[in-house]
Amino acid sequence: MSEGAVEDAASAMVADGSENVGKIRDILFGAQMRDYEDRFARLEERLADELAALRSEQQDRLSATELALRSELDGLAARLGEEREERVDGLKRAAAELKETAKAIDRRLAALDQAGGATASDLGALRTEVGQRLDALDGRLAAEADALRTSMTDRAALAGLLEEVGARLREAQP
């Protein structure tokens, strides 16, 4: 026999042996392997279903959180608007009181001028009273203005907080 014929015969025997080993393996372990493959397929399907359910639940929770946050923000914006209106009304009332006081002083001065008998002490007392009322009203006006500025500062802090919450929500989304 030639060398090539020996090699061909050896290859045929190895191929037959491999096929026989494969058949034997299939006979011995084939049913178990198919069973394992079926189990893995069911496990993968169950994992995919659970993952989908988890994603859906997370999306629902995120939507509920977003809705609650929007509702709270709307409430805060409404309260902030009401408070601002109240302070503006307070400033308007203080300005009206200041005008009324000035008018009353003008009337009193006019009456004193007409009477012609105004003494220096009456004028001094009137000036003192006018000064005190103006200082008091000026103080009230300054306090209301400071309160309004503080309220506007709180809006900036609220905006920063909301930006931070929005960033965290965006990070939490898959």
Side-chain angles (χ1 to χ4, degrees):
M1 244 193 212
S2 72
E3 216 175 284
V6 170
E7 285 180 12
D8 287 342
S11 294
M13 285 176 56
V14 169
D16 283 343
S18 294
E19 285 179 24
N20 288 339
V21 170
K23 287 179 183 178
I24 292 171
R25 186 181 302 135
D26 189 38
I27 291 170
L28 292 177
F29 301 111
Q32 281 182 320
M33 293 304 290
R34 285 187 293 278
D35 185 45
Y36 283 135
E37 287 175 3
D38 289 344
R39 284 183 182 180
F40 284 133
R42 286 192 307 269
L43 181 61
E44 282 182 9
E45 184 179 321
R46 195 170 78 213
L47 283 175
D49 290 346
E50 288 181 16
L51 181 60
L54 184 61
R55 282 185 180 155
S56 176
E57 181 181 337
Q58 184 181 13
Q59 185 63 37
D60 291 346
R61 285 183 180 179
L62 184 60
S63 296
T65 302
E66 185 177 337
L67 183 63
L69 184 60
R70 285 186 195 278
S71 174
E72 186 67 24
L73 290 177
D74 290 344
L76 287 173
R79 284 192 302 228
L80 188 60
E82 290 171 4
E83 186 177 320
R84 184 172 184 264
E85 287 179 20
E86 288 174 8
R87 291 187 185 200
V88 167
D89 289 343
L91 287 173
K92 287 178 181 178
R93 283 192 304 272
E97 286 178 22
L98 186 59
K99 286 180 185 178
E100 286 298 317
T101 302
K103 286 179 185 178
I105 291 171
D106 285 342
R107 286 191 301 268
R108 196 164 176 188
L109 285 174
L112 285 174
D113 283 344
Q114 285 178 350
T119 63
S121 64
D122 287 341
L123 288 175
L126 186 59
R127 280 191 183 135
T128 303
E129 184 182 343
V130 168
Q132 289 172 348
R133 284 189 178 185
L134 284 175
D135 288 343
L137 287 174
D138 191 30
R140 273 183 70 189
L141 190 60
E144 287 291 334
D146 286 343
L148 189 57
R149 278 190 212 99
T150 301
S151 173
M152 288 182 177
T153 301
D154 291 342
R155 283 179 69 188
L158 179 62
L161 176 68
L162 293 178
E163 287 176 6
E164 181 180 335
V165 168
R168 287 185 182 181
L169 284 174
R170 276 188 242 110
E171 290 175 6
Q173 283 186 327

